[in-house]
Amino acid sequence: QLVRRDPPAALRERHLRIGRALLGGLGEPQRATLLFTAVKHLNLARELIVDADERRVLIELNLEAATRAKLSTTYDRALAYLDAALALVRGEPLADLIDAPFAAAALPPLDELIVTMREEWADAHLALGHVEEVIPALRTLVAAEPLRERPRRQLMLALYRSGRQAEALQLY
């Protein structure tokens, strides 16, 4: 065996340990720069990763990096992280294994992660003023998740900013 593959839990723990060690003693600007560099390199290698759990770890790292970029009001960088994270989502989570015994417990957190990423993606677009680009995606998200308030609020805001106040009020 040429390449040793760690079990997913061990890989996740190793990522967390490395991240804590690297980010522990740094100030916020240095953390953001280091996190940006690490995530950029991980994204370059994403096509080599086949394991779904490893892909989930990359998605979570991108989401964390996007959150940090958003907090420092660099929405274009946050959008790049979120685009990279969404590129890692391929179809419905666990679609091939929906009948597997573990799927019932694993599916809700994966669905929540994907919906959260899409909401963050919409926030970044709205902050950058890309209202027309985000409206179709938000309509799809609201149709798929009709009881979630955040995407509905985002869609109302996007419609209002694009001059469609009547449509925004209908959603209310």
Side-chain angles (χ1 to χ4, degrees):
Q1 179 175 346
L2 295 176
V3 178
R4 185 179 147 269
R5 295 197 41 122
D6 294 320
L11 176 70
R12 189 171 38 254
E13 182 58 35
R14 185 171 20 136
H15 282 218
L16 289 172
R17 229 179 314 118
I18 291 169
R20 285 185 194 118
L22 289 174
L23 299 176
L26 299 176
E28 193 57 41
Q30 293 88 0
R31 278 188 198 160
T33 303
L34 183 60
L35 195 56
F36 173 75
T37 305
V39 171
K40 185 171 89 173
H41 290 300
L42 287 171
N43 285 333
L44 291 174
R46 79 174 177 254
E47 292 306 317
L48 302 173
I49 296 172
V50 254
D51 184 79
D53 200 49
E54 290 176 3
R55 197 167 40 244
R56 187 184 56 74
V57 168
L58 279 179
I59 288 170
E60 288 173 350
L61 284 172
N62 273 298
L63 189 56
E64 180 183 339
T67 302
R68 287 183 182 279
K70 192 173 142 185
L71 288 173
S72 64
T73 65
T74 51
Y75 295 102
D76 51 344
R77 187 179 278 184
L79 189 56
Y81 288 129
L82 292 163
D83 284 337
L86 287 169
L88 292 168
V89 177
R90 298 182 182 131
E92 291 296 315
L94 302 178
D96 301 351
L97 305 168
I98 198 69
D99 294 327
F102 66 87
L107 201 53
L110 288 173
D111 284 338
E112 180 64 26
L113 178 65
I114 292 168
V115 171
T116 299
M117 273 192 315
R118 291 190 172 127
E119 291 171 346
E120 291 293 329
W121 178 86
D123 273 345
H125 271 290
L126 289 171
L128 291 169
H130 306 158
V131 291
E132 291 299 329
E133 294 90 342
V134 80
I135 289 174
L138 282 171
R139 284 189 193 277
T140 303
L141 187 56
V142 167
E145 301 283 342
L147 299 178
R148 286 183 79 103
E149 294 178 10
R150 186 175 179 195
R152 187 171 294 274
R153 177 187 53 80
Q154 291 169 323
L155 180 56
M156 286 190 293
L157 181 61
L159 289 169
Y160 174 80
R161 287 182 180 171
S162 69
R164 301 184 222 169
Q165 286 85 357
E167 280 184 73
L169 282 173
Q170 279 182 327
L171 276 172
Y172 183 73

